[in-house]
Amino acid sequence: QEPGWLLEIINGEEILIVTNYGQDKKSHAYVEPQEDKAARKTVFQIDTHTSVLIEGEPCQDSMSGESFEGPVTVTTLEQTLKGCGRALF
């Protein structure tokens, strides 16, 4: 998605948010997610102004057409980033 960004959650270790095509990186301590299994949503509330929402429904990248496991939304004080994601392992 534009502008280029990525999110990497390393279970038990860190949540990394990379924006501006790799120029800006913010590493956050891992926080336990809040899960709503009925709604198929997982939220990582990193701090007062930063959260990650992962939804459990198919998602297709609007630029490439590639299919992913689910929509991902990263919300910060400065911006809201929307895209698709999948588990890396």
Side-chain angles (χ1 to χ4, degrees):
Q1 303 295 330
E2 297 292 331
W5 66 278
L6 70 86
L7 165 74
E8 187 173 299
I9 299 173
I10 302 170
N11 195 16
E13 294 182 28
E14 123 184 275
I15 298 174
L16 177 65
I17 302 170
V18 180
T19 58
N20 199 21
Y21 299 98
Q23 292 182 12
D24 300 321
K25 297 178 183 181
K26 289 188 180 178
S27 176
H28 302 274
Y30 179 83
V31 295
E32 290 296 325
Q34 301 166 358
E35 295 182 43
D36 183 339
K37 293 185 187 229
R40 300 187 63 194
K41 293 183 180 185
T42 301
V43 176
F44 292 84
Q45 189 64 49
I46 298 170
D47 59 34
T48 307
H49 302 291
T50 308
S51 65
V52 174
L53 168 64
I54 302 171
E55 299 177 74
E57 60 186 52
C59 183
Q60 188 171 22
D61 184 278
S62 61
M63 293 182 67
S64 70
E66 185 176 354
S67 294
F68 289 87
E69 292 174 10
V72 177
T73 304
V74 176
T75 304
T76 69
L77 189 59
E78 299 86 20
Q79 60 191 336
T80 298
L81 304 166
K82 294 182 179 255
C84 298
R86 67 172 162 253
L88 297 178
F89 53 91

